[in-house]
Amino acid sequence: MTTLYKLCFYVPVSHVETVKAAVFDAGAGRIGDYDRCSFQVLGQGQFRPLDGSNPYLGSQGQVETVEEYRVEMICQADCLEPAVRALHDAHPYEEPAIDLWQLAPLPV
């Protein structure tokens, strides 16, 4: 049985489809006989760029809020590294927020 992970990331509304497409193209989002599977919910992100940062949005030292999607999808272990690399390459932020959980097998 393949080890599965849940990949979760936050991305501004303007880039959600581009980033999802890149991660899907790298192999994430496959569940059985379905692909490009994900869940997303709109919310508000907050951050403050510090000295040395190169922010896509906002200015150093100023708190910025932005509408972002939280996107979740399943990722098999063999495509995890390419999917995270694709996410970083397609994401506009210098430091995208990414969560990753290893999933336990479902009892069937």
Side-chain angles (χ1 to χ4, degrees):
M1 175 170 252
T2 299
T3 302
L4 295 178
Y5 294 86
K6 181 173 279 190
L7 176 62
C8 174
F9 57 91
Y10 301 81
V11 61
V13 174
S14 60
H15 288 74
V16 67
E17 293 304 323
T18 300
V19 175
K20 282 182 1 189
V23 178
F24 288 146
D25 289 348
R30 184 171 183 129
I31 302 174
D33 292 334
Y34 296 84
D35 71 356
R36 302 180 93 76
C37 303
S38 68
F39 178 81
Q40 64 190 44
V41 63
L42 186 60
Q44 186 176 46
Q46 174 182 308
F47 55 90
R48 182 175 70 168
L50 301 175
D51 289 343
S53 65
N54 184 22
Y56 170 75
L57 296 170
S59 302
Q60 289 180 353
Q62 301 296 314
V63 173
E64 179 71 29
T65 57
V66 62
E67 280 194 318
E68 295 177 325
Y69 277 102
R70 174 187 168 125
V71 180
E72 299 180 12
M73 60 185 67
I74 298 299
C75 189
Q76 295 181 3
D78 62 344
C79 69
L80 187 57
E81 189 175 320
V84 172
R85 190 175 324 112
L87 193 163
H88 276 282
D89 290 346
H91 202 290
Y93 290 174
E94 183 176 29
E95 302 282 346
I98 302 170
D99 298 328
L100 182 66
W101 299 279
Q102 185 174 345
L103 300 178
L106 292 174
V108 284

